[in-house]
Amino acid sequence: MESSAAPTVSAGHDPGPAPVDLLRRLRARGAGDPVTHVERVPARVGVPAPWPAWAPPELRAAFARRGVVAPWQHQAEAATLAYDGGHVIVATGTASGKSLAYQLPALATLLADPRATVLYLAPTKALAADQLRAVAGLELEGVRPACYDGDTPRAEREWIRRHSRFVLTNPDMLHHGILPGHAQWSGFLRRLAYVVIDECHTYRGVFGSHVAHVLRRLRRQCARFGATPVFVLASATSGDPATAAGRLTGLPVTAVTEDASPRGGVTFALWEPPLLPPDSTAPTVPAQAAGDHDATTDLVQVRRSALRETADLLADTVAEGVRTLAFVRSRKGAEVVAANARRALDDAVPGLGGRVAAYRGGYLREERRELERALLHGDLLGLASTNALELGVDLVGLDAVLICGYPGTRASLWQQAGRAGRSGQEALAVLVARDDPLDTYLVHHPEAIFGAPVEATVLDPANPYVLAPQLACAAAEAPLTPADLALFGDGAKEAIDQLVEAGALRQRPTGWYWRHRERPEVDLRGEGGAPVCVVESATGRLLGTVDGGSSHFLLHPGAVYLHQGISYVVDDLDLADGCALVHVEEPDWSTHARDVTDLSVVSVRSYVDAGPVGMFLGEVDVTSQVVSYQRRRIATGEVIDTRPLDLPTRELRTVAVWFTLSPRSLASAGVQQADVPGALHAAEHAAIGLLPLMATCDRWDIGGLSTALHPDTEAPTVFVYDGHPGGAGFAERAYGTASAWLRATRDAIAECGCETGCPSCVQSPKCGNGNNPLSKPDAIRVLDVVLENLPA
């Protein structure tokens, strides 16, 4: 539980050297200084407040037993707003005690009204399980907290529906299980007093838009039973939290943003891995093997892999006795960092590698719980994790955090960095830059991190690709009525008319009725279908799962798949059955899937005519197919061969921003006709890499295409599009900040020290054309033409 009291470090844990001393030792271990900037985030003194008069004595006593002698000022303010019936969001830093802000009014109400109930929503099962431990640990009579999610045994579900008064779940279970079975939950919903939405800043893009309608469906069902629950939201620090929370819930929300909790100081270093010699044959970790797409291509890698650098740093901190969490952007990357750190530690001190592990989505429940337990109890000193542990799981006594690659938003960066120092002690955070335009830009422009506000959460409940399926789900739960149209917002009537025309709904005088026996199949997370199970051929053992959208790239026949440091090779991918069969193998090569993309313009929403330059926003159709994969030597990155694949085509209608240039303007800028494709291609790559500076996305949320003559625009064109059906708000943000976005893109290319282009500027880790052709100097000329003509 995030409390106002300092959590206790596990017994026997020596925090190791002070952060400044630790950083000095890490910097001294190689040739040259990899640190480009050190920011000192000062410690802060807390501002306490008295317990609210309405807080019952037994609840105060329960918190006191946990070491909470009084709330901080922001906790008391948010709790009182909620207790008085106002919808509220508390948006403060990591470890600021946001959980007390919602637990206090919710539990006080449960104690005062023996019939009241509370619903808690978390984006991950781990966070819900952590909150269950916290609420159960208060030992309050009659609360009966329980987790209700996909891991809950069926034998327990009926008891929870009937008897639990504090149910902890996630949006997926609310969508798939609770709302479709609302009749079984009628007693719980009828008495629902509070809905708690934890870590709500994670609900962005298409996922956030879906969750917004799931919450509207929840409000609709509560209203049918006569309940109007209070919504209490908790968020990391974000831009304009009240507006984002209002868009998420459809309700007016008051924001509490002044953080009154104490905080230990943080030493925050920006770390750029060293350049490799031009003729270097030093081992590197190819991008696809590493999983963070760390940017090896057919060309020589310019910088040491961020994954290898993070693995070495993790090994060094663990060897110093420093409890460390390393955030890695992908599942494969987390596996590789953990494996390399274990190997280095075992070489130094046999057996020490056993105190390092990987943690990621796709693990079975038992594996996840055991890893959480081992870290909490100090059996593990180092953990390489995806952002599955970014959220509020209370990891006691962490001394350092390593962040392998910019996580896409400043909000996530500070959330990850805040995982260290939870006992109020000094902490170390290190951002290790990938060989990527955005990461390179940030480590050399620290003001873009430390001097800039965190981003606003972007979601669009009016997205027709979200709204129509959610209205179908609502109709399947209970017929839609004209009174429901206002609840679901702009575009609801148009979406219902489309569903009627498509035969999904039947209109009657009393409303619109779902016509089919089976429920609508709606994927909240927009991950491209149901998860694919990874099964070991020889034993039939389930190893884990991969989301459907990634399966073509990660589980194609012949792909190398990593799980807990063990390497497997995929024998067969059955998309119809959602199953990939694998066998254990330790090849000396890695695999890299390659795809081809085509794009056509459907409509234009808005445009700017800037003479020889045009800037557009509109709908596009994107067709893509994974057509082959390369095998590359792990030691050198050498391409062994390219093998064809026969996988189905995928189609996506989404929102894009694009700009066009006249051939004459390019010629006047000195771009030869033969060099136009490489110039546009390089500008496209860099623009995609820098868009996360402006929008709450990372480069894996967006895609791009460039061409010297597009049939729909009849001009040289660069497209950047949202990688989600119907769009996710990122292209709109790019269009609205086009001048600033493309200026940062141009500067990142021009300031890069390479001669012809590298992963730090114009090479892309996910290019389907093998980063060919590319022209760095001509990309700068292209962007100069755009910026000279485009209005600020």
Side-chain angles (χ1 to χ4, degrees):
M1 181 181 77
E2 291 178 332
S3 72
S4 56
T8 303
V9 180
S10 300
H13 173 54
D14 178 0
V20 174
D21 294 333
L22 176 61
L23 180 60
R24 187 181 301 116
R25 296 183 199 180
L26 295 176
R27 296 170 80 168
R29 66 178 174 78
D33 187 359
V35 174
T36 61
H37 179 80
V38 177
E39 188 80 8
R40 170 66 183 164
V41 182
R44 182 180 62 218
V45 177
V47 181
W51 287 107
W54 48 262
E58 63 265 42
L59 183 55
R60 299 186 201 183
F63 282 122
R65 289 194 297 271
R66 299 292 300 271
V68 183
V69 295
W72 303 115
Q73 196 170 75
H74 68 280
Q75 295 172 324
E77 180 185 353
T80 298
L81 284 168
Y83 192 79
D84 290 343
H87 308 293
V88 61
I89 176 171
V90 54
T92 52
T94 309
S96 60
K98 292 185 286 289
S99 56
L100 183 69
Y102 55 72
Q103 288 174 2
L104 187 57
L107 294 172
T109 300
L110 294 186
L111 292 173
D113 179 358
R115 293 178 57 78
T117 60
V118 173
L119 181 67
Y120 168 94
L121 297 174
T124 66
K125 294 176 182 177
L127 180 53
D130 187 71
Q131 280 294 304
L132 175 62
R133 286 192 292 268
V135 175
L138 294 172
E139 299 179 340
L140 296 169
E141 187 175 352
V143 173
R144 298 187 293 273
C147 272
Y148 190 89
D149 58 31
D151 292 339
T152 305
R154 295 203 171 272
E156 296 179 16
R157 296 188 179 191
E158 178 63 23
W159 184 93
I160 293 171
R161 283 194 294 266
R162 289 180 176 273
H163 301 292
S164 176
R165 299 176 60 218
F166 196 120
V167 172
L168 303 100
T169 187
N170 51 63
D172 308 85
M173 195 63 174
L174 180 60
H175 164 64
H176 288 293
I178 295 175
L179 290 175
H182 56 82
Q184 295 174 297
W185 286 87
S186 60
F188 182 89
L189 295 174
R190 183 175 289 111
R191 304 189 299 272
L192 188 59
Y194 289 94
V195 177
V196 176
I197 306 173
D198 208 354
E199 304 289 3
C200 66
H201 62 281
T202 62
Y203 301 128
R204 62 176 178 84
V206 169
F207 179 41
S209 302
H210 272 296
V211 172
H213 286 297
V214 172
L215 295 177
R216 285 158 175 77
R217 286 162 48 202
L218 172 63
R219 289 174 52 206
R220 179 172 176 252
Q221 291 300 332
C222 288
R224 292 179 67 235
F225 293 119
T228 54
V230 171
F231 282 74
V232 187
L233 302 94
S235 169
T237 306
S238 65
D240 200 4
T243 298
R247 192 175 293 127
L248 183 66
T249 61
L251 296 163
V253 179
T254 301
V256 174
T257 58
E258 291 296 322
D259 192 338
S261 64
R263 182 186 62 193
V266 179
T267 300
F268 202 135
L270 304 183
W271 186 291
E272 186 174 40
L275 287 167
L276 294 172
D279 59 347
S280 173
T281 58
T284 59
V285 181
Q288 193 68 18
D292 72 343
H293 310 277
D294 219 1
T296 51
T297 66
D298 293 345
L299 306 177
V300 175
Q301 188 170 14
V302 176
R303 290 196 179 274
R304 195 166 188 262
S305 162
L307 282 168
R308 184 60 65 110
E309 196 82 347
T310 302
D312 286 353
L313 289 171
L314 180 59
D316 289 343
T317 56
V318 169
E320 294 270 5
V322 174
R323 194 174 298 182
T324 307
L325 180 60
F327 284 106
V328 190
R329 291 167 55 86
S330 73
R331 295 178 175 188
K332 274 189 175 180
E335 295 279 3
V336 167
V337 166
N340 287 348
R342 281 196 296 262
R343 190 177 303 115
L345 287 166
D346 281 334
D347 287 345
V349 181
L352 188 57
R355 303 197 71 182
V356 174
Y359 183 104
R360 61 173 175 80
Y363 282 178
L364 302 181
R365 177 193 184 188
E366 294 75 16
E367 289 178 301
R368 295 196 308 269
R369 297 294 176 266
E370 174 56 27
L371 288 168
E372 292 161 18
R373 185 208 62 78
L375 188 66
L376 287 169
H377 288 81
D379 299 335
L380 288 175
L381 270 180
L383 201 63
S385 172
T386 59
N387 64 358
L389 286 181
E390 174 182 322
L391 305 178
V393 178
D394 198 3
L395 304 176
V396 178
L398 288 175
D399 308 308
V401 165
L402 308 173
I403 303 168
C404 181
Y406 182 64
T409 65
R410 286 181 290 273
S412 288
L413 181 74
W414 287 110
Q415 188 80 348
Q416 292 181 2
R419 305 308 285 161
R422 281 187 164 255
S423 297
Q425 77 269 27
E426 294 284 315
L428 175 66
V430 180
L431 171 62
V432 182
R434 293 173 304 151
D435 216 353
D436 168 276
L438 180 58
D439 286 35
T440 303
Y441 180 87
L442 290 173
V443 295
H444 292 285
H445 294 80
E447 71 279 0
I449 294 176
F450 301 109
V454 294
E455 307 86 351
T457 304
V458 176
L459 64 149
D460 179 18
N463 180 340
Y465 285 81
V466 173
L467 180 55
Q470 286 293 334
L471 285 167
C473 292
E477 290 157 8
L480 290 164
T481 67
D484 292 325
L485 297 180
L487 176 64
F488 288 98
D490 295 341
K493 182 60 168 64
E494 293 82 354
I496 287 174
D497 290 342
Q498 292 172 4
L499 290 168
V500 171
E501 185 178 345
L505 298 182
R506 176 183 289 114
Q507 185 171 6
R508 291 179 175 171
T510 52
W512 294 273
Y513 290 72
W514 179 244
R515 297 188 59 177
H516 305 293
R517 179 175 299 175
E518 66 281 358
R519 294 191 65 253
E521 286 291 331
V522 178
D523 176 14
L524 290 192
R525 297 180 184 263
E527 293 175 335
V532 175
C533 297
V534 183
V535 177
E536 189 174 17
S537 302
T539 64
R541 180 169 65 102
L542 175 65
L543 298 176
T545 60
V546 169
D547 65 87
S550 302
S551 60
H552 290 217
F553 289 91
L554 302 180
L555 294 176
H556 60 76
V560 175
Y561 174 80
L562 294 175
H563 184 85
Q564 283 287 29
I566 301 173
S567 177
Y568 299 83
V569 173
V570 178
D571 299 316
D572 181 58
L573 172 61
D574 188 331
L575 291 169
D577 288 342
C579 179
L581 297 176
V582 302
H583 68 271
V584 176
E585 185 178 341
E586 291 281 350
D588 64 351
W589 39 263
S590 59
T591 53
H592 308 249
R594 310 191 58 177
D595 64 342
V596 294
T597 301
D598 193 18
L599 182 150
S600 61
V601 175
V602 177
S603 64
V604 175
R605 289 186 188 175
S606 180
Y607 71 94
V608 175
D609 184 348
V613 172
M615 180 67 65
F616 299 83
L617 177 73
E619 285 78 28
V620 297
D621 280 335
V622 181
T623 304
S624 62
Q625 183 179 21
V626 175
V627 295
S628 63
Y629 69 98
Q630 285 185 343
R631 297 192 304 158
R632 300 182 192 162
R633 298 280 181 208
I634 290 176
T636 63
E638 168 198 358
V639 177
I640 301 172
D641 57 21
T642 299
R643 300 189 173 191
L645 291 169
D646 182 21
L647 292 171
T649 298
R650 293 184 163 184
E651 297 180 357
L652 172 72
R653 176 161 292 187
T654 187
V655 179
V657 58
W658 65 94
F659 61 83
T660 61
L661 306 96
S662 70
R664 180 177 296 178
S665 68
L666 291 175
S668 299
V671 182
Q672 302 298 316
Q673 185 173 355
D675 296 328
V676 171
L680 298 176
H681 195 195
E684 171 216 331
H685 282 180
I688 290 172
L690 268 294
L691 182 54
L693 201 61
M694 306 295 163
T696 51
C697 64
D698 62 38
R699 72 181 306 151
W700 303 100
D701 289 321
I702 48 184
L705 182 141
S706 57
T707 175
L709 180 64
H710 192 275
D712 294 333
T713 65
E714 299 181 341
T717 310
V718 172
F719 294 89
V720 176
Y721 58 85
D722 293 354
H724 299 276
F730 310 138
E732 285 95 334
R733 178 68 176 160
Y735 181 77
T737 61
S739 294
W741 166 41
L742 296 178
R743 170 65 61 189
T745 301
R746 191 259 181 216
D747 291 348
I749 301 173
E751 292 170 5
C752 186
C754 70
E755 293 183 8
T756 59
C758 71
S760 294
C761 57
V762 299
Q763 290 182 3
S764 169
K766 59 177 187 175
C767 180
N769 294 320
N771 286 291
N772 185 46
L774 290 175
S775 173
K776 174 182 175 176
D778 287 321
I780 297 173
R781 297 185 181 102
V782 163
L783 292 167
D784 282 340
V785 171
V786 175
L787 291 166
E788 286 166 8
N789 290 278
L790 196 66

